[in-house]
Amino acid sequence: MHDRDDREMGAVGSRLVRVDADAKVTGRALYVDDLTFPGMLEAALVLPGCAHARLLKVDASDALAMAGVHAVVTADDVPGENQVGVVDRDQPLLPSERIRYSGDAVAVVVAETRAIAREAAAAVRAETEEIPAVFDAVRAMEPGAPKVHDDGNVFLEYRVRKGNIDEGFEAADIIVERTFRTHHQEHSYLEPLGAIAVPEEHGGVTIYGTMQCPYYVQKAVATVLGLPLAHVRVIQTVTGGGFGGKEDSPSEICACAAVAAWKLRRPVKLIYTREDDFYRSSKRHPMTVTYKLGATRDGTFTAAQIRVVADAGAYSTLTPVVVFRAAAHATGPYEIPNVHTDAYGVYTNRQTTGAFRGFGQPQTIFANESIVDEVAEALGLDPIDVRLKNGLAVGKRTATNQLLTESVGLPETLRQAREASGWDAKRAERGADSDPIKRGIGVGSIYYGVSLGAKGLALDGSGAHMNVYRDGSVRIAIGGTEMGQGLLTVLTQIASDALGAPTESIHVDHVDTSVVPDSGPSVASRTTLMTGNAIIDAAEKLRATMGEVASELLGVPTGEITFRDGRVGAGDRSIAFAELAAECWARNVNTAADGWYAAPLSTFDEDGQGDAYAIYSYATHVAEVEVDTRTGHVRLVRVTAAHDVGKILNPTTLEGQVEGGVLQCAGMALYERMITDGGDILTPDFSTYILPTAMDVPEIETLFIEEPYSRGPFGAKGIGETPAMPGAVAIANAIYHATGLRFLELPITAEAVRLALADGRGR
Amino acid sequence: MDRPASACAPRWESPATLAEAAEILRDAAGSARAIAGGTDLAVRIRRAEERPDVLVDLGRIENSDGVELRPEAGAIGRMEIGALATHATLAEHPLVREHANVLAEACRTVGAPQVRSRGTIGGNLANASPAADGVVALLALDAAVWVQSASSCAGDAGAVPIVDFLTGPGESVLRDDELIGGIVFDRPSPAARSVYVKAGQRNALAIAIASVAAIFEPDAGIVRIALGSVAPTPVRAGDAEALFESDWRGGADPETLFDAVAAAAAAASSPIDDVRATARYRRILTEALTRSALDRICLRKA
């Protein structure tokens, strides 16, 4: 549908085959566990497994006595500061006094082989004294709850105040209020966390690892080793999936490997088992969201009051940023004149929670999009009509009172999803009462502020280094990470069109922090936008210098020179890009350039008012289900996913992003449950933590709306997260349509459906 | 501690015959484990739940993965399945599909293609999980297990009925020095129809929350119903079968009868709560799955 003539249009918008596809399908791609270094040792972590305890002593004598064991590294061996907090400084790398959750590691065991290291880690004895623990964020807010940190459990609070909430509810004809709950979700990337630390002869250290944010890792390693940043080099290895789970957690594993390597002066590799990953990597925040929405009889929203309680786990990690995003977007993509939102980040003795595709929003979306459906039903209105009536559009204002001036594709996502899914007919359809299979169709819409917004401004610049060799080939170093999403491919396309050089002459590398300056994290759907713009900036500089040479050679004024499809010139006077590169080199003209892009200013005051994010992406998913009332089994039949992306850079990678997101939504809605008992995770692997498989994939139709963003590369906006956001509640709403069951908690397992029916709920 | 146990790989033995394998097991005196597909054992070794010194690989043993239908005097035939037949083999085998469809269907629902290609029916039995799909089907087929030890081979005549073979979750009468040689059962009547229905947490790689294997023999007017994942071992729903036998011939209304039989099957279950489901849901499922199985095999309704 989105195919078109590549020759005519350039690389952007074409279905360029992923530049890393061949290496990955043939097994040539080297992931961190594929790498080895001379003299390298292997490490394993010691996890006492307590949810909350005083640590009295770490007895490593048995482990040290085992053949092949080189060292047992503890807090005492950390040469710098024993601290890996990303935002707040509340997280020791290796706790020495207190264990706050079952993922806390108290020692790193280093041995000749991984098997010996793991065996020895099991032989390290941590003497502990259990103290009362708290496993529920709402309970952790109560007076008298066990304190996870001495200053109290509520460490974070954001508010949004717009208009007058009392007047807003006064004006409403109907008010619906409910409390919703969501739980941990594991990222389930295929490649578990892993790192190698290599001490360098100059006194520094080089880190290799699977990660989304090499510059976070650089800072963490410099902190724990007490080294200047210039002595810590981080090289991102081919990364097998991230989804947010490789934003904060890699800093911990890389710092553990670094401290061990530093002590022993040998390369040390540390690879997590899947179980380690379940215990130690950050999850999606469990949230309790109370949502109260008022509307007039015609379906116009008058007021929204929202309370969000986010379970941060034992350390705050990225919670301050996640809860900011949740607070800013909590109303959903609607213009509501009166808004009153309170959002809290709360410590518990559970797994830490951080970034996960959607970053705090899927939880609040489950609440707001369920409530919108309830209001529509109570008023006898169609759910899509109500969304169109209140939905954001150019000229409307968000909950933070931000005036939207461009690139608002929400209404179009609703209209196209309605049309393509056959919504109106299916919504009206009512199957026979005697049929045990009930069919339903439901919708969910979202908006997402692209990049870091007002609470991440200091990190919101990105760089690129572009080097044109004398034969016209181009190598580009970047600060954003490829983690499987297709970044290297779309950046190749952007560079190709920006420079007029053929895609096959361009190579984009994974991140090396010694080459490109701190470009912030690869999160928040920002990397194509930020790094893409940095590449365009570098290309503009090169077109200026190389254009002067072309002007001289061709006798054409510089203003008329264009760079297109591998040729440089004007009209019939042109030269091949490669020839021009050779000419530049012959004249000692520099053909390398650095590019930089900084996000525009954004604001968020004490009352949560301001231009919170520079630009928003929008999406609507329509889900169709069949519910077997005999077993409770929900079959996800079809999903229609409409996304406003600004501009399509590569239809294939875009479809891949959306289809993967649809499956993650299905996982959150129907399957994924991390079951715990105190500090123990009862589902620490993929046989018990249930993800959808290839046999659970619905039919997926993707629809793309191009409402260009004036500052985006070729008009593009971020697409990384939006696919994982509207689908879960669309499924919940479809289940309601099929059965009359309104679920206030995810996941909606077959058992939950069947027992609700057995209890006489539903129609 | 003088040696890191998991750091030392177990010794690997590849005997050519079952008898030889049994001798190695006997000589190892409890420190050896037989390994066929390894789909359960390898997981337990990785979790350090088992630490065998010796692994006895059964993969080189010839003629131990076949399926045969033996005509027997006076009987309609006896099926014999080698212990090393994989789930993938049984799911597609023409003799199994024709004469014991319930087993083919059960094997088709095991794990994913990789697991079905490695995992064997003998291993499924030896592992003795109450959720073992193949075993639930074999129980409905009234199958028996013959065992090989270093000193003797039981053969068909000494085969142990599955109800006696399984003693609890993960437990059976198989001793450390014994191996499962094969499985035997009388072929159901040619008119029989059978089905395996299973509820898991997803459509593939799913361990049963509850499952039902059912065989209907129209000429005799009987059903055989086995239940998976709702008791310490797979169990037969004897009362449900008896109810069916007494009322089917009498021309009872199928809807009413099937509801009663399904309820009796649920009553035969004694499930527990675990990470996959609650006992309450398992009872409801047992009833629903039994009902659905009866519709399919007795009335040919989907």
Side-chain angles (χ1 to χ4, degrees), chain A residues 119 631 691 696 751 759, chain B residues 6 46 202-203 278 280-281:
Chain A
E119 189 72 20
T631 61
L691 296 160
D696 303 289
E751 168 161 6
D759 289 340
Chain B
S6 72
R46 180 182 170 277
R202 57 186 168 197
N203 291 333
T278 61
R280 182 186 174 205
Y281 181 48

Side-chain angles (χ1 to χ4, degrees), chain A residues 78-211:
Chain A
V78 177
E81 195 189 345
N82 186 10
Q83 180 56 244
V84 284
V86 184
V87 180
D88 300 323
R89 307 195 66 70
D90 64 349
Q91 185 175 9
L93 174 68
L94 298 168
S96 58
E97 294 169 355
R98 188 155 156 198
I99 293 165
R100 291 188 171 84
Y101 83 117
S102 56
D104 261 333
V106 299
V108 186
V109 178
V110 189
E112 288 292 326
T113 69
R114 194 175 308 177
I116 296 172
R118 287 187 182 157
E119 189 72 20
V124 174
R125 282 193 299 275
E127 286 177 29
T128 57
E129 186 180 293
E130 297 266 351
I131 48 185
V134 61
F135 299 108
D136 178 90
V138 172
R139 215 179 89 51
M141 294 179 86
E142 292 167 3
K147 284 184 180 174
V148 182
H149 293 266
D150 295 339
D151 291 343
N153 295 331
V154 182
F155 65 93
L156 183 75
E157 183 178 347
Y158 285 116
R159 44 193 253 159
V160 174
R161 298 286 184 272
K162 179 190 179 190
N164 183 316
I165 196 71
D166 297 326
E167 287 172 17
F169 284 119
E170 197 71 24
D173 295 314
I174 180 179
I175 296 171
V176 179
E177 179 174 0
R178 294 229 189 275
T179 297
F180 297 85
R181 296 195 64 170
T182 62
H183 299 286
H184 286 122
Q185 193 181 10
E186 172 72 10
H187 302 82
S188 308
Y189 33 67
L190 284 183
E191 183 202 22
L193 289 166
I196 302 172
V198 183
E200 299 291 354
E201 59 201 36
H202 58 68
V205 65
T206 301
I207 305 290
Y208 300 80
T210 178
M211 62 184 74

Side-chain angles (χ1 to χ4, degrees), chain A residues 66 116 119 273 275 630-631 671 673 675 685-686 690-691 693 695-696 750-751 754-755 758-759, chain B residues 1 4-7 46-47 51 201-205 275-278 280-281 284-285 288-289:
Chain A
M66 288 166 65
I116 296 172
E119 189 72 20
T273 60
E275 291 83 351
R630 299 164 296 190
T631 61
Y671 303 105
R673 274 197 306 166
I675 303 173
D685 54 51
F686 292 159
I690 303 299
L691 296 160
T693 69
M695 298 299 285
D696 303 289
E751 168 161 6
R754 187 61 186 85
L755 294 188
D759 289 340
Chain B
M1 193 178 293
S6 72
R46 180 182 170 277
R47 286 180 182 155
R51 298 181 166 207
Q201 290 173 289
R202 57 186 168 197
N203 291 333
L205 280 167
V275 294
R276 295 198 297 283
T278 61
R280 182 186 174 205
Y281 181 48
I284 292 173
L285 274 180
L289 297 179

Side-chain angles (χ1 to χ4, degrees), chain B residues 75-157:
Chain B
I76 43 180
R78 196 152 167 86
M79 297 268 302
E80 169 146 11
I81 295 170
L84 289 164
T86 63
H87 301 297
T89 299
L90 297 176
E92 298 304 327
H93 199 285
L95 283 176
V96 179
R97 293 179 66 161
E98 188 182 346
H99 304 292
N101 182 52
V102 63
L103 180 59
E105 288 194 0
C107 290
R108 208 169 295 140
T109 71
V110 172
Q114 294 94 326
V115 173
R116 292 196 288 275
S117 298
R118 298 274 327 156
T120 63
I121 191 69
N124 210 212
L125 260 170
N127 192 52
S129 161
D133 297 301
V135 178
V136 181
L138 291 175
L139 181 62
L141 287 161
D142 288 314
V145 184
W146 67 265
V147 168
Q148 168 91 46
S149 70
S151 51
S152 70
C153 170
D156 194 344

Side-chain angles (χ1 to χ4, degrees), chain A residues 223-438:
Chain A
T223 300
V224 299
L225 295 186
L227 289 177
L229 288 168
H231 286 196
V232 178
R233 179 182 180 194
V234 179
I235 295 174
Q236 182 218 2
T237 49
V238 175
T239 295
F243 312 112
K246 290 175 183 171
E247 176 169 3
D248 51 0
S249 302
S251 296
E252 298 169 31
I253 185 171
C254 292
C256 284
V259 170
W262 200 252
K263 180 182 168 92
L264 293 165
R265 298 279 152 191
R266 286 174 68 167
V268 170
K269 179 190 273 187
L270 175 57
I271 305 288
Y272 282 178
T273 60
R274 183 61 63 184
E275 291 83 351
D276 290 336
D277 224 307
F278 263 88
Y279 272 90
R280 279 180 62 78
S281 71
S282 289
K283 319 279 174 247
R284 192 187 292 290
H285 287 72
M287 285 193 194
T288 302
V289 181
T290 300
Y291 198 106
K292 181 178 173 186
L293 181 63
T296 55
R297 213 158 276 121
D298 69 349
T300 305
F301 299 160
T302 59
Q305 184 166 6
I306 304 157
R307 186 171 190 269
V308 178
V309 176
D311 180 346
Y315 302 106
S316 73
T317 65
L318 292 157
T319 298
V321 208
V322 171
V323 174
F324 158 63
R325 178 175 285 281
H329 293 84
T331 56
Y334 306 106
E335 187 175 64
I336 305 178
N338 306 293
V339 177
H340 181 111
T341 302
D342 292 305
Y344 304 94
V346 183
Y347 288 128
T348 65
N349 295 108
R350 304 182 77 194
Q351 266 50 43
T352 58
T353 49
F356 193 150
R357 219 173 170 193
F359 210 76
Q361 285 191 241
Q363 302 95 316
T364 59
I365 289 162
F366 173 51
N368 78 58
E369 289 295 276
S370 295
I371 286 278
V372 167
D373 261 37
E374 289 213 50
V375 165
E377 187 181 34
L379 295 170
L381 300 171
D382 178 88
I384 289 185
D385 287 341
V386 169
R387 285 173 172 81
L388 281 167
K389 186 177 196 72
N390 295 282
L392 293 172
V394 168
K396 292 199 173 186
R397 288 181 178 273
T398 67
T400 69
N401 212 27
Q402 178 172 357
L403 177 67
L404 299 174
T405 56
E406 62 167 330
S407 188
V408 185
L410 176 72
E412 202 48 32
T413 65
L414 279 158
R415 282 193 279 270
Q416 291 199 17
R418 166 181 239 155
E419 171 83 24
S421 64
W423 170 270
D424 292 308
K426 287 172 182 165
R427 193 75 192 170
E429 213 171 87
R430 272 265 150 262
D433 284 349
S434 61
D435 189 346
I437 308 283
K438 308 292 181 199

Side-chain angles (χ1 to χ4, degrees), chain A residues 333-624:
Chain A
Y334 306 106
E335 187 175 64
I336 305 178
N338 306 293
V339 177
H340 181 111
T341 302
D342 292 305
Y344 304 94
V346 183
Y347 288 128
T348 65
N349 295 108
R350 304 182 77 194
Q351 266 50 43
T352 58
T353 49
F356 193 150
R357 219 173 170 193
F359 210 76
Q361 285 191 241
Q363 302 95 316
T364 59
I365 289 162
F366 173 51
N368 78 58
E369 289 295 276
S370 295
I371 286 278
V372 167
D373 261 37
E374 289 213 50
V375 165
E377 187 181 34
L379 295 170
L381 300 171
D382 178 88
I384 289 185
D385 287 341
V386 169
R387 285 173 172 81
L388 281 167
K389 186 177 196 72
N390 295 282
L392 293 172
V394 168
K396 292 199 173 186
R397 288 181 178 273
T398 67
T400 69
N401 212 27
Q402 178 172 357
L403 177 67
L404 299 174
T405 56
E406 62 167 330
S407 188
V408 185
L410 176 72
E412 202 48 32
T413 65
L414 279 158
R415 282 193 279 270
Q416 291 199 17
R418 166 181 239 155
E419 171 83 24
S421 64
W423 170 270
D424 292 308
K426 287 172 182 165
R427 193 75 192 170
E429 213 171 87
R430 272 265 150 262
D433 284 349
S434 61
D435 189 346
I437 308 283
K438 308 292 181 199
R439 286 163 192 81
I441 184 167
V443 66
S445 290
I446 61 104
Y447 75 136
Y448 179 91
V450 177
S451 201
L452 305 175
K455 295 291 171 189
L457 269 185
L459 296 172
D460 220 355
S462 288
H465 177 74
M466 189 179 272
N467 195 349
V468 178
Y469 293 87
R470 63 181 75 236
D471 60 357
S473 62
V474 184
R475 191 145 183 153
I476 302 172
I478 54 171
T481 50
E482 167 73 66
M483 61 192 95
Q485 81 276 44
L487 180 73
L488 298 181
T489 307
V490 296
L491 292 182
T492 300
Q493 293 171 271
I494 288 171
S496 173
D497 281 6
L499 205 53
T503 52
E504 53 274 19
S505 70
I506 297 170
H507 179 82
V508 186
D509 281 306
H510 283 87
V511 180
D512 176 341
T513 59
S514 69
V515 181
V516 176
D518 187 341
S519 297
S522 275
V523 301
S525 306
R526 73 188 281 273
T527 308
T528 296
L529 173 68
M530 302 294 296
T531 304
N533 276 338
I535 284 175
I536 290 171
D537 183 46
E540 278 169 4
K541 290 173 182 165
L542 286 179
R543 286 209 311 267
T545 51
M546 293 174 75
E548 277 182 34
V549 175
S551 165
E552 271 180 50
L553 279 171
L554 301 169
V556 176
T558 50
E560 291 173 25
I561 300 270
T562 59
F563 288 65
R564 259 189 89 114
D565 297 337
R567 309 241 6 130
V568 182
D572 56 356
R573 312 189 69 173
S574 72
I575 179 174
F577 182 83
E579 278 180 69
L580 176 59
E583 277 296 336
C584 290
W585 276 88
R587 295 162 189 231
N588 279 329
V589 171
N590 176 22
T591 60
D594 287 313
W596 184 258
Y597 179 74
L601 188 67
S602 48
T603 56
F604 189 82
D605 69 17
E606 279 185 0
D607 282 331
Q609 298 293 281
D611 294 346
Y613 294 86
I615 193 72
Y616 296 84
S617 289
Y618 303 85
T620 295
H621 286 191
V622 169
E624 295 166 54

Side-chain angles (χ1 to χ4, degrees), chain A residues 627-634 749-751 753-754 757, chain B residues 281 285:
Chain A
V627 181
D628 187 331
T629 53
R630 299 164 296 190
T631 61
H633 180 253
V634 176
T749 60
E751 168 161 6
V753 172
R754 187 61 186 85
L757 291 170
Chain B
Y281 181 48
L285 274 180

